[in-house]
Amino acid sequence: MRTRVFGRLGWPVSEIGYGLWGMGGWSGSDDAESLTSLHRSIELGCTFFDTAWVYGQGRSEKLLGQTIRSHPGARIIAATKIPPKNMRWPARADDTVDETYPPEHIREYTEKSLENLGVDVIDLQQFHVWNDAWTDDDGWKRAIDDLRTSGLVRAVGISVNRWEPVNVIRALDTGLIDSVQVVYNIFDQAPEDELFPYCEAHGIAVIARVPFDEGTLTGTLRPDSSWPDGDFRNLYFAGDRLGASVERAERLRPDIPAGMTMPEIALRFILANPDVATIIPGMRKRAHVEANLAASDGRPLDAAVAQRLRGHRWDRSVRIS
Ligand SMILES: NC(=O)c1ccc[n+]([C@@H]2O[C@H](COP(=O)([O-])OP(=O)(O)OC[C@H]3O[C@@H](n4cnc5c(N)ncnc54)[C@H](OP(=O)(O)O)[C@@H]3O)[C@@H](O)[C@H]2O)c1
């Protein structure tokens, strides 16, 4: 596993990290299987783990905490997220900061996450939604300052709303934010336009999330794929979105070099961008951990292939968390 530097914080992080949403809330999760997969990832050199309080209301954080305790010698970076007080994803343009991130809420949910993780300090605490209209509010700034000075968090990041990669730049201008987490994959290339150059210039670490477009870029979806009631993917792929996604994935197949899988090329596309500090594929199965972490072998993506992948950019604007 190769490492990269996590922005101005200077932390070495595995260039492929671990997304823990699925194991907290998606249908078909099995805690024993998730723990086996987390354990295997550490054996293979993974050091960056992304969870959130809302992923099973602490379930995912507790699985990560258990994993951390069973590897006392490993330097694991645990990142989690504060839900908005109104529990609404994504933030709406008219949600006020009092409805989402009043200072006492930031403190309360950090304490909940500390308890779920079973740690004294959270490496990276992130805002789970963001709206740049909240930037001028003093409350959230005071709250994160208190968390840092009282030693409850080491660093603070923002997880940007899906398909709104620049709705964070004003917050980054405050100098108080150490990292951004953004959807970036073969389809979602928009963060390259403004966000990545800004982050590069200011030493803000970039966490690339949703590398497989919630499953489309694994190549395993079918036009009639469905999930049990309550599974987020029913919303994400609602209406004609499943058909359009499968069609896009099929269009990609001819550009995948022989011997390479779709998940592998999806990760190699992101790895080819030095602006990204770490990628966090969602994984519950050990086989997925082994396949995905193997992509960190330093072999560059062929330039002609990379160029063809650029043509698969797909700009979308539906508001989904
Ligand atoms: N608002 C936010 O802050 C936000 C929103 C979305 C995501 N995130 C973060 O980003 C992470 C990644 O996004 P995601 O989990 O939503 O979606 P994703 O990484 O695009 O896709 C995850 C899906 O891909 C499957 N998969 C993984 N590796 C595979 C492989 N090699 N072959 C075939 N299938 C494979 C997983 O299966 P299994 O699970 O069965 O292994 C899972 O169904 C999340 O876990 C979370 O940490 C944050």
Side-chain angles (χ1 to χ4, degrees):
M1 172 61 69
R2 293 159 66 88
T3 59
R4 297 188 182 192
V5 176
F6 198 72
R8 62 183 177 228
L9 294 169
W11 300 341
V13 292
S14 57
E15 63 181 9
I16 299 187
Y18 204 122
L20 283 86
W21 181 15
M23 68 178 68
W26 292 16
S27 54
S29 294
D30 173 78
D31 288 354
E33 180 180 50
S34 299
L35 285 168
T36 300
S37 301
L38 285 163
H39 170 73
R40 182 69 181 136
S41 77
I42 292 175
E43 284 180 345
L44 294 171
C46 185
T47 62
F48 188 89
F49 295 81
D50 177 75
T51 182
W53 177 84
V54 80
Y55 299 165
Q57 306 198 342
R59 177 177 172 191
S60 168
E61 290 180 324
K62 285 178 186 161
L63 290 169
L64 179 55
Q66 238 177 294
T67 306
I68 292 170
R69 282 190 294 286
S70 61
H71 292 269
R75 176 67 186 111
I76 291 170
I77 307 236
T80 191
K81 309 188 194 82
I82 314 162
K85 187 174 181 193
N86 61 8
M87 297 287 166
R88 201 149 68 193
W89 279 262
R92 295 192 194 157
D94 58 355
D95 285 343
T96 67
V97 70
D98 290 339
E99 292 168 323
T100 53
Y101 289 120
E104 62 282 1
H105 174 80
I106 292 172
R107 178 80 181 207
E108 180 188 341
Y109 275 80
T110 299
E111 287 171 356
K112 284 183 198 283
S113 292
L114 283 162
E115 193 178 329
N116 289 333
L117 289 162
V119 296
D120 297 329
V121 51
I122 292 169
D123 297 306
L124 179 66
Q125 179 61 296
Q126 303 161 102
F127 290 92
H128 205 151
V129 298
W130 190 254
N131 185 339
D132 250 352
W134 305 333
T135 300
D136 294 336
D137 173 75
D138 286 332
W140 70 266
K141 295 177 193 157
R142 211 173 46 245
I144 62 170
D145 188 47
D146 285 350
L147 292 179
R148 279 194 177 105
T149 51
S150 52
L152 299 185
V153 310
R154 292 199 168 88
V156 176
I158 289 178
S159 190
V160 186
N161 297 343
R162 196 184 296 262
W163 302 324
E164 296 181 21
V166 295
N167 186 5
V168 71
I169 301 281
R170 287 193 64 226
L172 301 182
D173 274 337
T174 65
L176 299 172
I177 301 299
D178 303 297
S179 66
V180 289
Q181 183 181 135
V182 64
V183 176
Y184 178 57
N185 57 48
I186 291 172
F187 295 152
D188 296 299
Q189 300 177 27
E192 293 178 8
D193 301 345
E194 287 178 61
L195 181 63
F196 287 177
Y198 183 100
C199 290
E200 210 276 320
H202 294 82
I204 292 159
V206 171
I207 302 163
R209 80 172 191 249
V210 195
F212 305 129
D213 187 43
E214 311 294 3
T216 316
L217 288 166
T218 64
T220 58
L221 300 190
R222 300 286 165 259
D224 60 351
S225 292
S226 64
W227 297 271
D229 281 353
D231 191 299
F232 159 80
R233 289 166 291 184
N234 286 318
L235 170 68
Y236 188 72
F237 293 110
D240 58 6
R241 290 200 289 271
L242 177 59
S245 302
V246 171
E247 190 203 318
R248 290 270 178 169
E250 290 309 310
R251 241 189 271 169
L252 177 64
R253 286 197 197 278
D255 289 331
I256 304 176
M260 206 182 273
T261 66
M262 195 181 290
E264 181 184 346
I265 201 168
L267 292 174
R268 289 192 185 280
F269 172 80
I270 303 170
L271 285 171
N273 192 325
D275 290 338
V276 172
T278 187
I279 311 170
I280 48 167
M283 305 179 277
R284 290 170 296 175
K285 298 189 178 61
R286 178 186 165 125
H288 292 163
V289 168
E290 291 176 346
N292 295 342
L293 270 52
S296 171
D297 59 6
R299 277 196 295 135
L301 195 58
D302 177 80
V305 174
Q307 192 50 39
R308 283 201 296 279
L309 294 182
R310 309 221 69 75
H312 291 275
R313 176 169 172 159
W314 183 15
D315 289 324
R316 293 166 278 182
S317 61
V318 186
R319 292 180 60 74
I320 310 174
S321 71

